Amino acid sequence: MKNYLLSFLLLAFLSALHSPLHAQRAWSLDSCISYALTHNVEIRQRINAARQGELAVREAKDRVLPNVSGYGSENFSFGRGLTADNTYANRNTNSFSVGAQLSLPLFQGLRVVRSVKYSETSLKALVEQSEATKDDVTINVMAAYLQALYSREALGVARMSLEVAKDELKRREILLDAGKIPELDLFEARAQVSRDELTVVNAQNDSVMALLDLANLLDLESDGSFDILPLSHEDLPMPSLDEVWTNMQMANHTLRAAAIRRQAAGESVEVAKSGYLPTLSFNAGLGTNYYKTSGFANEGFAAQMRHNFAKSLGFSLNIPIFDGFSTRNSISRARLEQLNSELDLENTRQQLYKTVSTAHAQAIAAESKQRAAQAAMENTKAAFDAMTVKYDNGRANATEYEKAKADYINAVADRLQASYERQLRVRILRHYNGD
């Protein structure tokens, strides 16, 4: 029995032996993260938002281009009308005109230059926000992946516990037939088998749901064949809080996005101030027309179109004097947005520090819990081995034996949970650190 229990302890931490893996369908942690970063809906929305930002930059730059338009019209008039002699007469007239116009902005009060700068800065913020969303998705996938691995190994522990209970039931049946134990011990063994069978069912359900949660997070249609690969149980080094926070202040995408939005808000104020500056534009046009009145001799269409051809050039200067406080109100709104962006940056920095300090504390606690769980597992195993010897020699009853076994199995489960909790906390901390 001791050899069997040693195998039980070993198998509890080898997830590859707990359930059959289909190599062609099994996903690694890296493949899950890569797939999520490509297919996650929120990330794709952020990418589209960045593309819209690129379009905004292009639109801002295009405002320096001229506007060119053509026009054409034809009009008809029937009945009485005022003549050149200031009398009324019945006349029918028709006219036709065609031409083209050009308007070229020469100076727009620096609005175009400032708008381009603002749009480019806003685009940088959108890109950083897209990367921040990828970080969030990565952590969520990591947590779901480790939860699925833990649930599967917990199922393995439950199955091994059930096998131990079944073997013990067979042994007690033999001992009862030999008259060495009371019938009550056999009933205790059967009850324990039933309890362990229920534990296996619950663990099976938890494992299935954990895999389903991971598949849903990846937006996969789980048909029951979705499976994942185990991770190595190496103890990854834990970075210090100061190291992580220093690196986050330089490279964290959420913090950088907030800082860039603050910069963009300041540039938005400058855009609003452009309303106080004058604008200058160049205008040019060319066109011709044809006019015919009944009762008068009219030149032919081709001749009129040629003779009436005209060209025009001009400059237009607009100096704002009073715009109903529109510019002033725009500047006030922009300054309020600037203040909000500064508060948002400060809040983001505070929240990130709370997040990373909490993650570091959780990682330390998980490491301590793992050491304590390891010691508890070793001590309960020694106690269970001793209790097994006592029970085999008739110096302990079935209740004492079952309690010792339950304590050991619980200690194994606690050690397993602590191991995965440490992996999760350290991996999250290392992700924050940029490792």
Side-chain angles (χ1 to χ4, degrees):
M1 178 173 289
K2 290 182 180 181
N3 292 334
Y4 189 82
L5 290 173
L6 289 174
S7 299
F8 159 60
L9 175 60
L10 179 62
L11 291 175
F13 297 101
L14 297 177
S15 60
L17 300 181
H18 292 335
S19 61
L21 290 178
H22 305 286
Q24 69 276 16
R25 303 300 295 269
W27 293 57
S28 67
L29 176 58
D30 289 339
S31 63
C32 286
I33 293 175
S34 177
Y35 185 90
L37 295 182
T38 305
H39 295 80
N40 182 267
V41 173
E42 187 176 359
I43 291 177
R44 290 157 64 186
Q45 289 176 329
R46 292 293 184 184
I47 292 175
N48 285 338
R51 290 173 180 169
Q52 290 177 336
E54 293 174 355
L55 180 59
V57 173
R58 192 179 309 122
E59 289 177 339
K61 292 179 178 179
D62 289 344
R63 289 172 188 164
V64 301
L65 299 177
N67 291 321
V68 181
S69 62
Y71 65 88
S73 66
E74 183 159 4
N75 298 294
F76 299 91
S77 178
F78 306 96
R80 293 178 64 81
L82 187 66
T83 68
D85 299 329
N86 199 28
T87 60
Y88 284 88
N90 288 321
R91 290 176 180 173
N92 297 331
T93 63
N94 73 289
S95 63
F96 172 78
S97 62
V98 65
Q101 295 174 332
L102 177 143
S103 178
L104 175 64
L106 299 179
F107 181 73
Q108 296 295 312
L110 300 177
R111 181 178 295 275
V112 173
V113 176
R114 292 171 176 176
S115 295
V116 170
K117 188 177 180 181
Y118 168 75
S119 299
E120 290 176 339
T121 304
S122 298
L123 173 59
K124 293 178 182 178
L126 290 173
V127 172
E128 290 295 336
Q129 191 59 52
S130 176
E131 294 300 318
T133 302
K134 291 181 181 179
D135 288 341
D136 295 338
V137 170
T138 297
I139 291 176
N140 291 336
V141 171
M142 194 184 303
Y145 192 96
L146 290 174
Q147 180 60 41
L149 283 180
Y150 165 71
S151 297
R152 188 169 67 187
E153 292 203 19
L155 173 60
V157 172
R159 285 173 174 168
M160 294 302 299
S161 177
L162 176 59
E163 292 302 319
V164 172
K166 288 181 177 179
D167 288 346
E168 180 61 22
L169 175 60
K170 293 179 181 177
R171 193 173 73 92
R172 291 189 189 183
E173 287 175 345
I174 295 174
L175 292 175
L176 179 63
D177 292 340
K180 294 184 178 181
I181 60 172
E183 189 175 13
L184 178 61
D185 288 4
L186 181 62
F187 293 153
E188 287 282 355
R190 288 175 178 172
Q192 186 60 45
V193 168
S194 298
R195 288 192 292 269
D196 287 347
E197 286 176 344
L198 177 59
T199 301
V200 168
V201 171
N202 292 333
Q204 179 77 49
N205 293 335
D206 291 342
S207 180
V208 171
M209 292 305 300
L211 282 175
L212 182 60
D213 289 341
L214 177 58
N216 290 337
L217 188 60
L218 300 179
D219 291 328
L220 293 174
E221 294 183 2
S222 179
D223 56 359
S225 62
F226 176 74
D227 209 345
I228 56 177
L229 294 172
L231 295 173
S232 62
H233 284 273
E234 62 176 327
D235 288 337
L236 297 173
M238 183 190 307
S240 66
L241 175 59
D242 290 340
E243 178 186 358
V244 176
W245 179 236
T246 299
N247 291 332
M248 285 189 71
Q249 291 185 89
M250 294 186 297
N252 182 264
H253 295 294
T254 300
L255 191 58
R256 290 172 62 175
I260 295 174
R261 282 196 296 268
R262 181 187 63 176
Q263 178 185 347
E267 294 169 357
S268 177
V269 174
E270 296 303 315
V271 173
K273 288 181 178 179
S274 300
Y276 285 137
L277 300 178
T279 60
L280 176 65
S281 61
F282 168 73
N283 303 294
L286 52 87
T288 185
N289 63 80
Y290 166 77
Y291 189 84
K292 180 180 180 182
T293 303
S294 62
F296 288 86
N298 297 278
E299 245 185 337
F301 179 82
Q304 283 198 43
M305 294 293 288
R306 184 174 62 254
H307 294 157
N308 295 339
F309 183 76
K311 298 175 287 247
S312 65
L313 297 174
F315 293 90
S316 176
L317 176 65
N318 180 37
I319 302 175
I321 297 176
F322 180 72
D323 60 359
F325 301 115
S326 176
T327 300
R328 186 196 67 177
N329 294 336
S330 296
I331 294 173
S332 298
R333 282 193 298 269
R335 284 176 173 165
L336 287 174
E337 289 297 327
Q338 183 181 26
L339 178 59
N340 284 334
S341 66
E342 292 174 353
L343 295 174
D344 180 63
L345 175 60
E346 182 61 26
N347 182 63
T348 300
R349 182 179 286 109
Q350 292 177 1
Q351 292 300 322
L352 281 178
Y353 184 78
K354 292 177 183 178
T355 298
V356 69
S357 59
T358 300
H360 186 262
Q362 289 174 332
I364 292 178
E367 193 170 51
S368 300
K369 182 179 179 181
Q370 183 181 22
R371 289 194 298 267
Q374 177 68 32
M377 184 184 68
E378 293 172 355
N379 292 333
T380 54
K381 180 183 181 302
F384 181 48
D385 290 342
M387 182 60 66
T388 300
V389 174
K390 290 178 64 177
Y391 182 73
D392 289 343
N393 293 321
R395 290 186 288 119
N397 57 40
T399 301
E400 293 172 330
Y401 173 84
E402 293 297 344
K403 183 179 184 305
K405 189 189 79 169
D407 291 343
Y408 174 53
I409 292 173
N410 290 336
V412 171
D414 291 342
R415 170 63 175 82
L416 180 66
Q417 183 182 24
S419 174
Y420 274 102
E421 184 176 355
R422 182 192 182 279
Q423 278 207 62
L424 174 61
R425 300 305 178 187
V426 173
R427 284 178 182 272
I428 290 177
L429 200 61
R430 288 172 63 85
H431 182 76
Y432 287 147
N433 196 43
D435 296 335

